[in-house]
Amino acid sequence: MSPHVLVLGGTTEARELAAALAARSGTRVTTSLAGRVSRPGALAGEVRVGGFGGAQGLAAWLRAHRVDAVVDATHPFAESITRNAARAATATGVPLVVLRRPGWRPAPGDRWHPVASLDAAAGLLPRLGRRVFLTTGRTGLAAFAGLTGLHFVVRSVEPPEPPLPPDVRVLSARGPFTVADETELLRTHRIDVLVTKDSGGAATAAKLTAARELGLPVVVVRRPPLPEGVGAVPGVAAALDRLDLRTP
C-alpha cells in the first residue's frame, strides 16, 4: 500500500512539500487547511479543509485514513495545532515531523523590541509611537482594541476579526512585498512603529529592512515554544530527509 502523508498546511513550505511528495511515485499526500483563507492557492495531492476536533479528533482521523506520517508545516504561531499534532502522534504512534522556517535575526541598525505576546506588544506601544503599522495577522487584534490615542494601520489578506482598535485603517493586500513597497507605505501613513510576529521567511521580511532604513522601532513578538520533546526541521529538504521520502 502507498505511504500516506498528512501535511498540516497553510504555508509556502507546506505547498512545496505537498508538491514534492505528490511527485514521488507511490506516495499519497493529503494537505489539511484550517479554512481561514477563503481562496487558497492550488495544492498538489488531496486537500481537506476544516478542523479535526482537537487532538482526539486528529488521532481518529489518522487511524481512519491510515496515515503513515504527519508533517506539521503550519504557521510558527499556530500553537494549538502543533500541540494537538504532537498529542495525536503520541496517541497513535504515527511519526511527526515539524517543519518551521527559521526565524528572523536582527541586523546592524535594527531597533527591535522583542516581546513574548501580543498583549506585551500592546503594553509597549504607547512609549514608542502614535502611528502603528500592525502586521500580526487578522485574528489577534483584540489585544490592541483597548488602546486609545493611537492610530493603527492594519494589513491583512482577509477582513480582520473584531474587536479592532478604535482608530484603525485596514489595508487589504497579499505579499510578497518589496522594500520599496514597504518604504512607501511607512512614509505615506507616517508610521512611527512597526509591530510584527517573528514569522520568518522572505515574503514579509521587506518591512523589517524598510523600518531599519527609516530608523523606526520594531516590536517583534517571539514565537511560542514547541511542545516538550518536539523538535523542528528548517525546510522542505530536511523534512523529506526526516521522513526518508525523497522526490525522484
Side-chain angles (χ1 to χ4, degrees):
M1 182 179 296
S2 300
H4 185 192
V5 180
L6 174 66
V7 177
L8 305 177
T11 61
T12 299
E13 291 80 10
R15 186 181 308 278
E16 293 173 353
L17 179 64
L21 290 171
R24 178 183 167 86
S25 178
T27 298
R28 178 187 173 194
V29 57
T30 301
T31 298
S32 177
L33 301 175
R36 292 176 180 168
V37 177
S38 59
R39 292 178 295 175
L43 284 160
E46 303 169 36
V47 179
R48 70 172 300 281
V49 178
F52 291 94
Q56 290 185 342
L58 176 55
W61 199 93
L62 297 180
R63 294 187 185 102
H65 294 266
R66 299 187 178 184
V67 173
D68 297 287
V70 179
V71 181
D72 173 10
T74 55
H75 192 276
F77 285 81
E79 187 175 7
S80 62
I81 298 175
T82 298
R83 182 174 58 249
N84 289 339
R87 290 174 177 173
T90 298
T92 59
V94 174
L96 170 67
V97 177
V98 178
L99 195 169
R100 288 288 183 272
R101 69 181 76 129
W104 291 316
R105 293 181 178 273
D110 278 328
R111 297 173 57 196
W112 283 16
H113 298 265
V115 294
S117 67
L118 291 174
D119 288 337
L124 191 59
L125 280 181
R127 289 178 279 163
L128 295 177
R130 295 295 175 187
R131 299 182 66 84
V132 184
F133 184 29
L134 191 57
T135 63
T136 56
R138 68 187 183 94
T139 61
L141 301 186
F144 305 91
L147 292 177
T148 59
L150 301 184
H151 173 72
F152 288 88
V153 175
V154 173
R155 183 168 64 196
S156 179
V157 176
E158 302 280 334
E161 296 182 3
L164 305 180
D167 183 1
V168 61
R169 178 170 183 177
V170 177
L171 306 178
S172 178
R174 185 192 298 269
F177 305 100
T178 67
V179 174
D181 292 335
E182 302 293 56
T183 301
E184 181 180 2
L185 185 152
L186 294 173
R187 284 176 170 162
T188 298
H189 294 277
R190 295 180 287 117
I191 297 299
D192 299 317
V193 55
L194 166 67
V195 183
T196 187
K197 292 178 177 178
D198 181 15
S199 301
T204 58
K207 61 191 173 189
L208 301 174
T209 303
R212 182 191 314 129
E213 292 179 351
L214 293 175
L216 299 181
V218 181
V219 180
V220 181
V221 181
R222 292 189 293 263
R223 296 178 177 188
L226 292 171
E228 185 176 355
V230 174
V233 298
V236 172
L240 291 169
D241 285 342
R242 184 68 62 86
L243 290 168
D244 197 24
L245 295 170
R246 298 176 178 81
T247 54

